[in-house]
Amino acid sequence: MSAQQLSPRSTRRIARSTGLNVVRAWGHGKYVMPFVTADHRHGWWDKKTGKWAFEAEGEVVHYTSCSELFPA
């Protein structure tokens, strides 16, 4: 399944749960949602458990919208 950008409501839910300034999040049809913060840090959030973490260096997958949100 391809990535779908989550709604602003779902993105705010992730921001509240993590305490981070989440600017965009995506779903892949499962319970773990990748997200990106305002300072361009990528992470994931588990909808069932509320656990989250930042992606390790070298494991970051940039979405096409990263170039729109964070122009070089």
Side-chain angles (χ1 to χ4, degrees):
M1 179 174 271
S2 64
Q4 299 295 316
Q5 184 177 325
L6 296 182
S7 69
R9 180 179 177 187
S10 295
T11 302
R12 286 191 304 270
R13 179 179 178 195
I14 294 171
R16 278 193 311 273
S17 178
T18 62
L20 301 170
N21 185 6
V22 177
V23 294
R24 188 153 299 166
W26 300 270
H28 293 276
K30 299 187 179 181
Y31 293 106
V32 177
M33 282 76 164
F35 64 83
V36 66
T37 62
D39 59 349
H40 200 180
R41 293 188 69 190
H42 286 260
W44 58 265
W45 175 74
D46 188 311
K47 183 177 181 176
K48 283 190 149 190
T49 66
K51 292 182 183 180
W52 68 275
F54 286 115
E55 297 291 349
E57 288 296 321
E59 295 182 14
V60 174
V61 175
H62 291 277
Y63 291 84
T64 304
S65 57
C66 283
S67 60
E68 298 166 4
L69 291 168
F70 310 103

